[in-house]
Amino acid sequence: MLNPFLLRHPAFLRFWLGQTASSLAYQMLVVGIGWQMYDLTGSALSLGLIGLAQFLPQLLLTLVAGHVADQYNRRIIVIVCRVILALTMAGLVYANVTGQLSPAVIYSCGALLGATRAFEAPATQALLPNLVTPDQLPKALALTAGTREATVIAGPAIGGLVYLVGSHWLYGASVACFVLSALVLLALPYEYQAPRREPASLQSLFSGIHFIRQNPVVLGAISLDLFSVLLGGATALLPIVAKDILHTGPWGLGLLRSAPAIGALLMSLWLARFPMEKRVGKTMFYAVALFGLATVVFGLSHNLWLSMAALLVLGASDMVSVIIRSTLIQLETPDAMRGRVSAVNYIFIGTSNQLGEFESGVTAAWFGVVPAIVLGGVGTLVVVALWMKLFPALTHRDKLAS
């Protein structure tokens, strides 16, 4: 049964359906690409290179994509991107059916996925505030984030089942989902008002960074997320924790990997029903502090169920921070700048996740797994304390809408 908020807002319903189909498609295809690459090469390095093939185009193109999102119709940008994603998956279907699949083909598709998502993400993030009122935005973000977490849980499982029938069927299902996500946006009631065209320049491309530096609320929110994820990337060490500390098998690892997403999903459903209205600044800091504490408990735990509980709390607290941060960034940013600011935020999110995993791996190699996780959690608590002093405007922010 659909949430009543979705039924009352047909424009957001179409947006939500498109996001759900697109996210499900991506989560399914990740299973196929990873499995096939390892099947072809038997190399863990090859799996890492798939991520690099997607990350580098995103890093190089996202600022340009943010400029494009502020200059052209965001709905059309998202539709075109999803059509390109569908065509990319169709290429993998063809390569599988004709027996022409190779690591080079997978790397090429990964690079195209990364480049396309670099344009899709800022346009999508900047489009949502045009479909709902400012007071409805937190609920809309909670529903969207909750659905994304649901696809993170369900997508790989569905993809694995479809893959048993045939790899081309898996990619074919992704094609269908991407096409559906584009089709539902064709009739999206979005009134596009063409802005005054601004030629691409270094000043225009970096204006999102300049805006963030001048706005302490936005700068504090983005940088808090950046450093907390950098220090609290304990999930990167889950395979080691599962095997060497908790002494469980693949089933236990699966439970541990699902726990943060389940916690985030449950919290997003709660926030969609009961959106935050007061003391949002301190609430965000308390949520990040709870994230740090949950990380410490996870690092010290030698019991599977306690570790799962810590990861559930970690995912739930992270979702609170994500909703507040995302809403503040969108509401504090003028519509003409939302694409570029969203692009910078997207870079920070992607970079922090990648570097957070790297940081966890390095500290684990230096100090051991448990000290690395605990130090990351403690570091997160230190960052919270510092940021509450450095960004008083964010700390004392009462309502999401200023």
Side-chain angles (χ1 to χ4, degrees):
M1 183 176 179
L2 288 178
N3 187 288
F5 181 83
L6 292 169
L7 298 176
R8 291 195 303 266
H9 301 86
F12 175 66
L13 174 59
R14 283 186 172 274
F15 177 88
W16 177 81
L17 288 172
Q19 285 295 98
T20 302
S22 177
S23 182
L24 183 62
Y26 184 74
Q27 294 300 329
M28 287 194 298
L29 71 88
V30 166
V31 172
I33 287 178
W35 185 272
Q36 285 201 303
M37 177 60 81
Y38 193 69
D39 195 39
L40 287 169
T41 66
S43 168
L45 177 61
S46 297
L47 296 178
L49 291 175
I50 295 176
L52 185 64
Q54 294 184 62
F55 176 69
L56 287 179
Q58 290 177 346
L59 182 64
L60 295 174
L61 294 174
T62 300
L63 289 180
V64 177
H67 173 83
V68 171
D70 285 335
Q71 298 296 306
Y72 300 96
N73 189 317
R74 292 162 182 164
R75 180 176 67 93
I76 299 300
I77 294 171
V78 176
I79 291 173
V80 170
C81 286
R82 290 179 181 169
V83 169
I84 294 173
L85 290 170
L87 292 173
T88 303
M89 291 302 98
L92 283 176
V93 172
Y94 177 80
N96 275 270
V97 170
T98 60
Q100 299 181 42
L101 187 73
S102 67
V105 170
I106 296 177
Y107 289 138
S108 299
C109 288
L112 189 54
L113 282 170
T116 306
R117 285 167 64 84
F119 283 88
E120 180 196 23
T124 302
Q125 293 176 21
L127 177 61
L128 178 55
N130 300 135
L131 305 178
V132 295
T133 61
D135 63 302
Q136 295 167 346
L137 184 59
K139 185 171 289 190
L141 284 169
L143 285 169
T144 304
T147 304
R148 182 177 64 249
E149 295 299 334
T151 62
V152 169
I153 298 169
I158 295 172
L161 290 174
V162 177
Y163 191 92
L164 294 176
V165 182
S167 56
H168 57 288
W169 286 104
L170 171 62
Y171 298 125
S174 293
V175 170
C177 286
F178 279 130
V179 170
L180 175 63
S181 70
L183 289 176
V184 296
L185 294 183
L186 286 175
L188 182 71
Y190 166 57
E191 295 183 6
Y192 171 67
Q193 296 179 346
R196 181 177 61 84
R197 288 285 183 262
E198 184 179 348
S201 63
L202 288 178
Q203 180 179 355
S204 173
L205 294 179
F206 286 91
S207 59
I209 296 176
H210 178 74
F211 175 85
I212 291 170
R213 290 179 58 191
Q214 299 300 314
N215 190 309
V217 171
V218 176
L219 176 60
I222 290 179
S223 57
L224 176 67
D225 177 72
L226 171 65
F227 284 102
S228 63
V229 173
L230 275 174
L231 294 170
T235 53
L237 303 175
L238 282 180
I240 303 175
V241 172
K243 182 177 181 181
D244 297 339
I245 297 176
L246 301 179
H247 305 292
T248 185
W251 68 275
L253 176 59
L255 291 175
L256 292 172
R257 285 202 177 279
S258 299
I262 293 172
L265 173 60
L266 294 175
M267 179 56 70
S268 68
L269 295 175
W270 175 267
L271 293 177
R273 180 67 180 85
F274 303 103
M276 291 166 285
E277 297 181 352
K278 293 184 178 181
R279 296 167 56 88
V280 296
K282 289 183 179 178
T283 299
M284 183 174 71
F285 281 114
Y286 295 156
V288 177
L290 184 59
F291 177 93
L293 286 172
T295 301
V296 172
V297 172
F298 174 73
L300 296 175
S301 171
H302 285 73
N303 179 275
L304 175 62
W305 304 112
L306 177 59
S307 297
M308 283 185 60
L311 290 174
L312 281 167
V313 173
L314 184 148
S317 58
D318 184 53
M319 179 56 65
V320 174
S321 172
V322 166
I323 297 302
I324 295 176
R325 185 189 75 247
S326 301
T327 305
L328 286 175
I329 292 171
Q330 296 290 11
L331 294 181
E332 288 288 310
T333 307
D335 187 61
M337 287 288 300
R338 281 194 177 121
R340 281 164 285 188
V341 171
S342 295
V344 176
N345 186 41
Y346 184 63
I347 290 176
F348 283 166
I349 291 172
T351 302
S352 63
N353 285 326
Q354 299 285 338
L355 294 181
E357 293 180 2
F358 176 71
E359 178 271 338
S360 295
V362 170
T363 53
W366 287 349
F367 308 116
V369 174
V370 171
I373 296 173
V374 172
L375 284 173
V378 172
T380 300
L381 294 173
V382 173
V383 167
V384 169
L386 285 174
W387 257 238
M388 291 185 76
K389 295 293 185 182
L390 292 173
F391 298 95
L394 179 59
T395 303
H396 300 295
R397 182 66 174 255
D398 186 41
K399 296 182 180 296
L400 290 168
S402 58

